[in-house]
Amino acid sequence: MTATGPQIETAPPTLRQLNTAVLIAAGAAAAISIAAVLPAEYGVDPTGIGRVLGLTPMGERRVAQANGGKAPAGPVAGDAIATTPDGGRRVRIVLGPYAGREVKAAMKAGAELTYRWSTDGAPVEFEFHGEPDVPRTPGDYSSYAKGMKASAQGRFKAGFAGHHGWYWKNPTATPVVVTAIVKGAVESFAPIYAKGAAVAAPATDSVAGAAGSVETTRYATDLPLKTVMRAVFGHAAQEIWKRQGYVSDATGVHSLFPKDAEEWTLAENDALSLAEMTNILLLPGRRVDEQAWIDSVAGVRKSALTLAALTRKQDKDAYMEAGLHLNDACNACHARYAPGVE
Ligand code: HEC
């Protein structure tokens, strides 16, 4: 903390208030002559940058997946393949939060199929495209259609022998199920897995549809991330922030910091709880398989552990500054994965 005077707040800082406190402080300082609550260096709003960071051109991602970069090593919990009663081939895949995946049909030149795909609700980014068996150049592919939809259908004739199909990307934090059915002269129709991975066939409908996999059975991730954020992480952070700073009322200025060893221990417990809870964000089915996600979870954990260590020193200024860093750590993830959240 670089401010010299007492830090005065009219209420414990919330996530949103910490971000806007610099603006508020200007008005508050004029009105009741208090020191600025937060130094200016904490007032950065990274939202715009996050938007930019979050955008990777679709073509790049598709190529990354074609090269095995993002494709899962094997079936994801909930994937299924089946034959329809009228002889079509059906593939159902689960797109984890922000995940992109491909399903392709092997076809001869001139072969035709009809297709139909839909999600279980949310629109997804898609690119319908094909890769020739004999590429003319490295990464050779043809794009037939792309955009953002929850369903599509049509007829397709392969212009060359190769693999033709879809890349879908889930733009949300909630898993999306995509079901695709093709009928016609296809040699195979299947999800694409990372090259070099031992590819086990996805479960048939009867198995995967009924019980889900061991992974989803073992970890319950059915609470929406939005709820987990508000009720678990928002709450945990408030428990920490409410013990930081000062409040002023008619009777004077009051410290919010822990007052005795027992209260410092409670504060330590809150910080350690938050540190441990960050693991929730890494559960299969909830985590985003990107380094930026993993890194920002680690950032929150590190901040929380620093807070815990400072409760043992009972250093109020450093403890409060670490509280501000915690806010930055939360926002590092929000900037990229939830640009609307402050
Ligand atoms: C690894 C990523 C990540 C980290 C770390 C993270 N969040 Fe979030 N948070 C999200 C995402 C994604 C959303 C948007 C969820 C949605 O709307 O579906 C969100 C939303 C929120 C919301 C809004 C919930 C609502 O009801 O709209 C709050 C509050 C929140 N987070 C608090 C926190 C706090 C406090 C921390 C740090 C202690 C934190 N988050 C750390 C990813 C993260």
Side-chain angles (χ1 to χ4, degrees):
M1 195 75 209
T2 54
T4 48
Q7 289 84 50
I8 298 176
E9 254 287 13
T10 49
T14 65
L15 187 62
R16 190 173 297 277
Q17 282 168 338
L18 280 167
N19 266 339
T20 52
V22 172
L23 294 176
I24 295 165
I32 52 171
S33 319
I34 57 164
V37 175
L38 303 172
E41 63 261 35
Y42 295 115
V44 180
D45 175 6
T47 301
I49 295 164
R51 280 223 181 83
V52 173
L53 287 176
L55 287 176
T56 313
M58 194 141 187
E60 274 176 37
R61 284 196 305 253
R62 189 202 56 75
V63 169
Q65 162 130 47
N67 294 338
K70 279 285 159 73
V76 172
D79 284 3
I81 52 172
T83 306
T84 61
D86 61 352
R89 298 173 193 235
R90 183 174 68 203
V91 170
R92 187 180 72 199
I93 56 164
V94 177
L95 299 178
Y98 306 102
R101 294 185 62 186
E102 288 188 305
V103 174
K104 297 236 184 78
M107 299 172 77
K108 296 203 166 83
E112 288 186 47
L113 58 72
T114 56
Y115 66 86
R116 191 165 93 229
W117 65 261
S118 61
T119 73
D120 59 348
V124 289
E125 290 175 40
F126 75 95
E127 181 166 20
F128 185 22
H129 65 282
E131 276 138 14
D133 285 338
V134 186
R136 290 154 296 189
T137 54
D140 188 12
Y141 89 107
S142 302
S143 181
Y144 310 130
K146 60 179 170 181
M148 177 98 163
K149 283 184 177 176
S151 68
Q153 57 183 324
R155 178 177 290 276
F156 169 75
K157 181 171 179 178
F160 50 83
H163 287 77
H164 307 266
W166 292 267
Y167 169 81
W168 291 287
K169 175 147 198 289
N170 176 3
T172 74
T174 308
V176 172
V177 178
V178 180
T179 305
I181 299 174
V182 299
K183 232 189 123 182
V186 300
E187 285 150 23
S188 68
F189 186 54
I192 304 295
Y193 300 113
K195 283 209 174 87
V199 177
T204 56
D205 254 356
S206 55
V207 178
S213 74
V214 173
E215 219 179 37
T216 49
T217 308
R218 203 180 291 153
Y219 304 111
T221 52
D222 47 326
L223 272 187
L225 181 64
K226 194 178 163 79
T227 307
V228 170
M229 277 295 148
R230 178 180 54 75
V232 179
F233 285 89
H235 174 75
Q238 288 304 334
E239 290 298 301
I240 291 168
W241 290 328
K242 80 179 187 190
R243 291 183 206 278
Q244 298 183 330
Y246 299 83
V247 283
S248 62
D249 60 21
T251 65
V253 175
H254 308 279
S255 165
L256 296 169
F257 292 101
K259 290 176 188 57
D260 51 31
E262 197 181 324
E263 287 189 16
W264 278 111
T265 301
L266 292 177
E268 182 190 8
N269 293 347
D270 287 334
L272 290 176
S273 297
L274 175 60
E276 189 60 19
M277 278 187 307
T278 56
N279 286 307
I280 291 172
L281 299 174
L282 301 175
L283 290 179
R286 187 163 278 139
R287 67 176 176 238
V288 176
D289 283 324
E290 289 180 1
Q291 198 57 42
W293 183 273
I294 314 289
D295 288 349
S296 51
V297 172
V300 171
R301 180 176 164 84
K302 193 172 166 223
S303 278
L305 290 175
T306 301
L307 280 157
L310 290 168
T311 61
R312 295 191 283 270
K313 288 191 181 165
Q314 305 190 4
D315 178 341
K316 291 180 190 173
D317 282 354
Y319 179 58
M320 175 136 175
E321 184 165 358
L324 300 171
H325 285 305
L326 172 65
N327 182 56
D328 292 343
C330 302
N331 283 338
C333 189
H334 297 156
R336 186 178 169 105
Y337 295 101
V341 177
E342 289 184 346

